[in-house]
Amino acid sequence: MKRISFLDNVRSLAIFLVVLCHSIEFLYDGEALTVASPAMVNFSAILFNFTRLGVPLFLFLSGYLLLDKDYKTEKDVFNFWKTKLLPVVITWVLWIVLFYIFSCWKDGLSFSVKDFVLKLFMVERVNISHDWYMYMLIGLYFIFPFLSMFLKKFSLRMHVIVFGGAFFICMVIPSLAALTGKNLYLFSAVSSFFINTNYCYIIYAVLGYFLKKYEKLSLNLPINLIGFMFSMTAMVLCGYYRHSIMLSYYLWYDFALLPFASVFLFNLLRGVKLPLLIEKVNGRISICSFGMYLVHVPILCVLIRFFPEFNSNQPLSSIVYLAVAFIASYVLVEIIGKIKYLNKNLFMIKNK
């Protein structure tokens, strides 16, 4: 299948932002922020909120590529589950085994058959910080055929109405709660089902579908650039405001400004032509991005464990961690991916 360069560019930027996000998180999160200088706290907060764009870009790509497909019959649905969902599940089961062994070493724990079985059957999460994305992705892939059928029944007008309502419930209300520090949900027993952080990921996937279906409605380059800068600046200011009322700087994926910044950035990447060499490099990174996502956190854990001398007051620290983790993840996936069967089963690479 012919590769689409701008999608490779989006995917390679997304994995870069994710690795940078975790590099900053490992250095500045928790106790590190209590000893860092105010300048470093501000530096980490600005960069951390910017790197939140990585996951939305990944989810845009899933919606862009998969929700536009036709799922007219039961056979189509089962075929999607077989060709898309099942490989993700198989890959994740293999990584659960690897992550469990790794976490036992990292945390100095003894191997427990009971814990291992519970994690293997996904009753409990594995003790690795980025595993949540895989469980979320499996859930999304399960509902994608039904979500696609639902979306294709409606016109643009109905899309605006339904999506607008979902956006308000799943993102605007949580954003107001994040800025006030108060629970704004009425009738919490009911809202616990209808209003949930996890639903925001469906919104990102649907936005990816809209970005493809309504491509002609995308804005021009200057407007996208201004929109991106404005929405990101507003997000950073919201983070500062949260900090001023004694809350965390960091905003989660259900913050309403993040989808806007992500859409503007996606359209910027769609409208920019990069040099051929950069596009080729992005193409290789794009192919390896799923594997890089899986391996980069263990690499960061090893770096933190064996090189603790990096000081959280040094901005260079996060850059060093990013560079080492990003390059090591890519090289590791490229090398291991050359082994037959491992490229597909461990990293979901179909072509080398």
Coordinates of all heavy atoms in Angstrom, one line a residue, residues 79-130:
N79 N -14.6 -9.2 10.2 CA -13.4 -9.1 9.4 C -12.5 -8.0 10.0 O -11.3 -8.1 10.1 CB -13.7 -8.8 8.0 CG -12.4 -8.8 7.1 OD1 -11.7 -9.8 7.1 ND2 -12.1 -7.7 6.5
F80 N -13.1 -6.8 10.4 CA -12.4 -5.8 11.0 C -11.8 -6.2 12.4 O -10.6 -6.0 12.7 CB -13.3 -4.5 11.3 CG -12.6 -3.4 12.0 CD1 -11.8 -2.5 11.3 CD2 -12.7 -3.3 13.4 CE1 -11.1 -1.5 12.0 CE2 -12.1 -2.3 14.1 CZ -11.3 -1.4 13.4
W81 N -12.6 -6.9 13.2 CA -12.1 -7.4 14.4 C -10.9 -8.4 14.2 O -10.0 -8.4 15.0 CB -13.2 -8.1 15.2 CG -14.2 -7.2 15.8 CD1 -14.0 -5.8 16.0 CD2 -15.5 -7.5 16.3 NE1 -15.1 -5.3 16.6 CE2 -16.0 -6.3 16.8 CE3 -16.2 -8.6 16.4 CZ2 -17.3 -6.2 17.4 CZ3 -17.5 -8.6 17.0 CH2 -18.0 -7.4 17.4
K82 N -11.0 -9.2 13.2 CA -10.0 -10.2 12.9 C -8.7 -9.6 12.4 O -7.6 -10.0 12.8 CB -10.5 -11.2 11.8 CG -9.5 -12.3 11.5 CD -10.1 -13.2 10.4 CE -9.1 -14.2 9.9 NZ -9.6 -15.1 8.8
T83 N -8.8 -8.6 11.5 CA -7.6 -8.0 10.9 C -7.0 -6.9 11.6 O -5.8 -6.6 11.5 CB -8.0 -7.6 9.4 OG1 -9.0 -6.6 9.5 CG2 -8.4 -8.7 8.6
K84 N -7.8 -6.1 12.4 CA -7.4 -5.0 13.1 C -7.3 -5.1 14.7 O -6.3 -4.9 15.3 CB -8.2 -3.7 12.8 CG -8.2 -3.4 11.3 CD -6.9 -2.9 10.8 CE -6.9 -2.5 9.4 NZ -5.6 -2.1 8.9
L85 N -8.4 -5.6 15.2 CA -8.5 -5.7 16.7 C -7.7 -6.9 17.2 O -6.9 -6.7 18.2 CB -10.0 -5.9 17.1 CG -10.2 -6.1 18.6 CD1 -9.7 -5.0 19.5 CD2 -11.7 -6.4 18.9
L86 N -7.8 -8.1 16.6 CA -7.1 -9.3 17.1 C -5.6 -9.1 17.1 O -5.0 -9.4 18.1 CB -7.5 -10.5 16.3 CG -7.0 -11.8 16.8 CD1 -7.4 -12.1 18.2 CD2 -7.4 -13.0 15.8
P87 N -5.0 -8.5 16.1 CA -3.5 -8.3 16.1 C -3.1 -7.4 17.3 O -2.1 -7.6 17.9 CB -3.2 -7.7 14.8 CG -4.3 -8.2 13.8 CD -5.5 -8.2 14.7
V88 N -3.9 -6.4 17.6 CA -3.6 -5.5 18.7 C -3.6 -6.3 20.0 O -2.8 -6.1 20.9 CB -4.5 -4.3 18.7 CG1 -4.3 -3.4 20.0 CG2 -4.3 -3.4 17.5
V89 N -4.7 -7.1 20.1 CA -4.8 -7.9 21.4 C -3.7 -8.8 21.5 O -3.1 -9.0 22.6 CB -6.2 -8.6 21.4 CG1 -6.2 -9.6 22.6 CG2 -7.3 -7.7 21.4
I90 N -3.3 -9.6 20.5 CA -2.2 -10.5 20.5 C -0.9 -9.8 20.9 O -0.1 -10.3 21.7 CB -2.1 -11.3 19.2 CG1 -3.3 -12.2 18.9 CG2 -0.8 -12.1 19.1 CD1 -3.3 -12.8 17.6
T91 N -0.6 -8.7 20.2 CA 0.6 -7.9 20.5 C 0.6 -7.5 21.9 O 1.6 -7.6 22.6 CB 0.7 -6.7 19.5 OG1 0.8 -7.1 18.2 CG2 1.8 -5.8 19.9
W92 N -0.5 -7.0 22.4 CA -0.6 -6.5 23.8 C -0.4 -7.6 24.8 O 0.3 -7.4 25.9 CB -1.8 -5.7 24.1 CG -1.9 -5.1 25.5 CD1 -2.9 -5.3 26.4 CD2 -0.9 -4.3 26.1 NE1 -2.6 -4.6 27.5 CE2 -1.4 -4.0 27.4 CE3 0.3 -3.8 25.7 CZ2 -0.7 -3.2 28.3 CZ3 1.0 -3.1 26.6 CH2 0.5 -2.8 27.9
V93 N -0.9 -8.8 24.6 CA -0.7 -9.9 25.5 C 0.8 -10.3 25.6 O 1.3 -10.5 26.6 CB -1.6 -11.1 25.0 CG1 -1.1 -12.4 25.7 CG2 -3.0 -10.9 25.2
L94 N 1.4 -10.3 24.4 CA 2.9 -10.5 24.4 C 3.6 -9.5 25.3 O 4.5 -9.8 26.0 CB 3.4 -10.5 23.0 CG 2.9 -11.7 22.1 CD1 3.5 -11.5 20.7 CD2 3.4 -13.0 22.7
W95 N 3.2 -8.2 25.1 CA 3.9 -7.2 25.9 C 3.5 -7.2 27.3 O 4.3 -6.7 28.2 CB 3.5 -5.8 25.3 CG 4.4 -5.5 24.1 CD1 4.1 -5.7 22.8 CD2 5.8 -5.1 24.2 NE1 5.2 -5.4 22.0 CE2 6.2 -5.0 22.8 CE3 6.6 -4.7 25.2 CZ2 7.5 -4.5 22.5 CZ3 7.9 -4.3 24.9 CH2 8.4 -4.2 23.5
I96 N 2.3 -7.7 27.7 CA 2.0 -7.8 29.1 C 3.0 -8.8 29.8 O 3.4 -8.5 30.9 CB 0.5 -8.4 29.2 CG1 -0.5 -7.3 28.9 CG2 0.3 -8.9 30.7 CD1 -1.9 -7.7 28.9
V97 N 3.3 -9.8 29.1 CA 4.3 -10.8 29.6 C 5.6 -10.1 29.8 O 6.3 -10.2 30.9 CB 4.5 -12.0 28.7 CG1 5.6 -12.9 29.2 CG2 3.1 -12.8 28.5
L98 N 6.1 -9.4 28.8 CA 7.4 -8.7 28.9 C 7.3 -7.6 29.9 O 8.3 -7.4 30.7 CB 7.7 -8.1 27.5 CG 7.9 -9.1 26.4 CD1 8.1 -8.3 25.1 CD2 9.1 -10.0 26.7
F99 N 6.3 -6.8 30.0 CA 6.2 -5.7 31.0 C 6.1 -6.3 32.4 O 6.6 -5.6 33.3 CB 5.0 -4.8 30.7 CG 5.2 -3.9 29.5 CD1 4.1 -3.5 28.7 CD2 6.5 -3.4 29.3 CE1 4.3 -2.6 27.7 CE2 6.7 -2.5 28.2 CZ 5.6 -2.1 27.4
Y100 N 5.4 -7.4 32.6 CA 5.3 -8.0 33.9 C 6.7 -8.4 34.4 O 7.1 -8.1 35.6 CB 4.4 -9.1 34.0 CG 4.2 -9.7 35.4 CD1 3.4 -9.0 36.3 CD2 4.8 -10.9 35.8 CE1 3.3 -9.5 37.6 CE2 4.7 -11.3 37.1 CZ 3.9 -10.6 38.0 OH 3.8 -11.1 39.3
I101 N 7.4 -9.0 33.6 CA 8.8 -9.5 33.9 C 9.7 -8.2 34.2 O 10.4 -8.2 35.2 CB 9.4 -10.3 32.8 CG1 8.7 -11.6 32.7 CG2 10.9 -10.6 33.1 CD1 9.0 -12.4 31.4
F102 N 9.5 -7.2 33.4 CA 10.3 -6.0 33.5 C 9.9 -5.3 34.8 O 10.8 -4.8 35.6 CB 10.1 -5.0 32.4 CG 10.7 -3.7 32.5 CD1 12.1 -3.6 32.2 CD2 10.0 -2.6 32.9 CE1 12.7 -2.3 32.3 CE2 10.7 -1.4 33.1 CZ 12.0 -1.2 32.8
S103 N 8.6 -5.2 35.2 CA 8.2 -4.5 36.4 C 8.7 -5.3 37.6 O 9.0 -4.6 38.6 CB 6.7 -4.3 36.4 OG 6.0 -5.6 36.4
C104 N 8.7 -6.6 37.5 CA 9.3 -7.4 38.7 C 10.7 -7.0 38.9 O 11.1 -6.8 40.1 CB 9.1 -8.9 38.4 SG 7.5 -9.5 38.6
W105 N 11.5 -6.8 37.9 CA 12.9 -6.4 38.0 C 13.0 -5.0 38.5 O 13.8 -4.7 39.4 CB 13.6 -6.6 36.7 CG 15.0 -5.9 36.6 CD1 16.1 -6.4 37.2 CD2 15.3 -4.6 36.1 NE1 17.2 -5.5 37.0 CE2 16.7 -4.4 36.3 CE3 14.6 -3.6 35.5 CZ2 17.3 -3.3 35.9 CZ3 15.2 -2.5 35.1 CH2 16.6 -2.3 35.3
K106 N 12.2 -4.1 37.9 CA 12.3 -2.7 38.2 C 11.9 -2.4 39.6 O 12.6 -1.6 40.3 CB 11.4 -1.9 37.2 CG 11.3 -0.4 37.5 CD 10.5 0.3 36.5 CE 9.0 0.0 36.5 NZ 8.3 0.6 37.7
D107 N 10.9 -3.0 40.1 CA 10.3 -2.8 41.5 C 10.8 -3.8 42.5 O 10.4 -3.7 43.7 CB 8.8 -2.8 41.4 CG 8.2 -1.7 40.5 OD1 8.9 -0.7 40.4 OD2 7.2 -2.0 39.9
G108 N 11.7 -4.7 42.1 CA 12.2 -5.7 43.0 C 11.2 -6.6 43.6 O 11.2 -7.0 44.8
L109 N 10.2 -7.0 42.8 CA 9.1 -7.9 43.3 C 9.3 -9.3 42.8 O 10.0 -9.6 41.8 CB 7.8 -7.4 42.7 CG 7.4 -5.9 43.0 CD1 6.1 -5.5 42.3 CD2 7.2 -5.7 44.5
S110 N 8.8 -10.2 43.6 CA 8.8 -11.6 43.3 C 7.7 -11.9 42.3 O 6.6 -11.3 42.3 CB 8.6 -12.5 44.5 OG 9.6 -12.2 45.5
F111 N 8.0 -12.9 41.4 CA 7.0 -13.3 40.4 C 5.8 -14.0 41.1 O 6.0 -14.9 41.9 CB 7.6 -14.3 39.4 CG 6.7 -14.7 38.3 CD1 6.7 -14.0 37.1 CD2 5.8 -15.8 38.4 CE1 5.9 -14.4 36.1 CE2 5.0 -16.2 37.4 CZ 5.0 -15.5 36.2
S112 N 4.6 -13.5 40.8 CA 3.4 -14.1 41.4 C 2.5 -14.6 40.3 O 2.1 -13.9 39.4 CB 2.6 -13.0 42.2 OG 1.3 -13.4 42.5
V113 N 2.2 -15.9 40.4 CA 1.4 -16.5 39.3 C 0.0 -15.9 39.3 O -0.5 -15.6 38.2 CB 1.3 -18.0 39.6 CG1 0.3 -18.7 38.6 CG2 2.6 -18.7 39.5
K114 N -0.6 -15.6 40.5 CA -1.9 -15.0 40.5 C -1.9 -13.6 39.9 O -2.8 -13.3 39.0 CB -2.4 -14.9 42.0 CG -3.7 -14.2 42.1 CD -4.1 -14.0 43.6 CE -5.4 -13.3 43.7 NZ -5.8 -13.1 45.1
D115 N -0.9 -12.8 40.2 CA -0.9 -11.4 39.6 C -0.6 -11.5 38.1 O -1.2 -10.7 37.4 CB 0.3 -10.6 40.3 CG -0.1 -10.2 41.7 OD1 -1.3 -10.2 42.1 OD2 0.8 -9.8 42.5
F116 N 0.2 -12.4 37.7 CA 0.5 -12.6 36.3 C -0.7 -13.0 35.5 O -1.0 -12.4 34.4 CB 1.6 -13.6 36.1 CG 2.0 -13.9 34.7 CD1 2.7 -13.0 33.9 CD2 1.6 -15.1 34.1 CE1 3.0 -13.2 32.6 CE2 1.9 -15.4 32.8 CZ 2.6 -14.4 32.0
V117 N -1.5 -13.9 36.0 CA -2.7 -14.4 35.3 C -3.7 -13.3 35.2 O -4.3 -13.0 34.2 CB -3.3 -15.6 36.0 CG1 -4.6 -16.0 35.4 CG2 -2.3 -16.8 35.9
L118 N -3.9 -12.5 36.3 CA -4.8 -11.4 36.3 C -4.5 -10.3 35.3 O -5.3 -9.8 34.6 CB -4.9 -10.8 37.7 CG -5.6 -11.6 38.8 CD1 -5.5 -10.9 40.2 CD2 -7.1 -11.9 38.5
K119 N -3.2 -10.1 35.2 CA -2.7 -9.1 34.2 C -2.8 -9.6 32.8 O -3.1 -8.9 31.9 CB -1.3 -8.7 34.6 CG -1.2 -7.8 35.8 CD 0.2 -7.5 36.2 CE 0.2 -6.6 37.4 NZ -0.5 -7.0 38.6
L120 N -2.5 -10.9 32.6 CA -2.5 -11.5 31.3 C -3.9 -11.5 30.7 O -4.1 -11.3 29.5 CB -2.0 -13.0 31.4 CG -1.7 -13.7 30.1 CD1 -0.5 -12.9 29.4 CD2 -1.3 -15.1 30.3
F121 N -4.9 -11.7 31.6 CA -6.3 -11.7 31.1 C -6.9 -10.3 31.3 O -8.2 -10.2 31.1 CB -7.1 -12.7 31.9 CG -6.8 -14.2 31.4 CD1 -5.9 -14.9 32.1 CD2 -7.5 -14.7 30.3 CE1 -5.6 -16.2 31.7 CE2 -7.2 -16.0 29.9 CZ -6.3 -16.8 30.6
M122 N -6.1 -9.3 31.5 CA -6.5 -7.9 31.5 C -7.5 -7.6 32.6 O -8.3 -6.7 32.5 CB -7.0 -7.5 30.2 CG -6.0 -7.7 29.1 SD -6.5 -7.0 27.5 CE -5.4 -7.9 26.4
V123 N -7.5 -8.4 33.7 CA -8.4 -8.1 34.8 C -7.7 -7.0 35.6 O -8.4 -6.1 36.1 CB -8.5 -9.3 35.7 CG1 -9.4 -9.0 37.0 CG2 -9.2 -10.5 35.0
E124 N -6.4 -7.0 35.7 CA -5.6 -5.9 36.3 C -4.6 -5.3 35.3 O -4.2 -6.0 34.3 CB -4.9 -6.4 37.5 CG -5.7 -6.8 38.7 CD -4.9 -7.3 39.8 OE1 -3.6 -7.3 39.7 OE2 -5.5 -7.6 40.9
R125 N -4.3 -4.0 35.5 CA -3.3 -3.4 34.6 C -1.9 -3.8 35.0 O -1.6 -4.2 36.1 CB -3.4 -1.9 34.7 CG -4.6 -1.3 34.1 CD -4.7 0.2 34.3 NE -3.5 0.9 33.9 CZ -3.3 2.2 34.0 NH1 -4.2 3.0 34.5 NH2 -2.2 2.7 33.6
V126 N -1.0 -3.8 34.0 CA 0.4 -4.1 34.3 C 1.0 -2.8 34.9 O 0.5 -1.7 34.7 CB 1.2 -4.5 33.1 CG1 0.8 -5.8 32.6 CG2 1.0 -3.5 31.9
N127 N 2.1 -2.9 35.6 CA 2.7 -1.8 36.4 C 3.7 -1.0 35.5 O 4.9 -1.0 35.7 CB 3.4 -2.3 37.6 CG 3.8 -1.2 38.5 OD1 3.3 -0.1 38.4 ND2 4.8 -1.4 39.3
I128 N 3.1 -0.4 34.4 CA 3.9 0.4 33.5 C 3.0 1.6 33.1 O 1.8 1.5 32.9 CB 4.3 -0.4 32.3 CG1 5.5 0.2 31.6 CG2 3.2 -0.6 31.3 CD1 6.8 -0.2 32.1
S129 N 3.6 2.8 33.1 CA 2.8 4.0 33.1 C 2.0 4.2 31.9 O 0.9 4.9 31.9 CB 3.7 5.2 33.4 OG 4.7 5.3 32.3
H130 N 2.4 3.7 30.7 CA 1.7 4.0 29.5 C 0.8 2.9 29.0 O 0.3 2.9 27.8 CB 2.7 4.4 28.4 CG 3.7 3.2 28.0 ND1 4.1 2.3 28.9 CD2 4.2 2.9 26.8 CE1 4.9 1.4 28.2 NE2 5.0 1.8 27.0

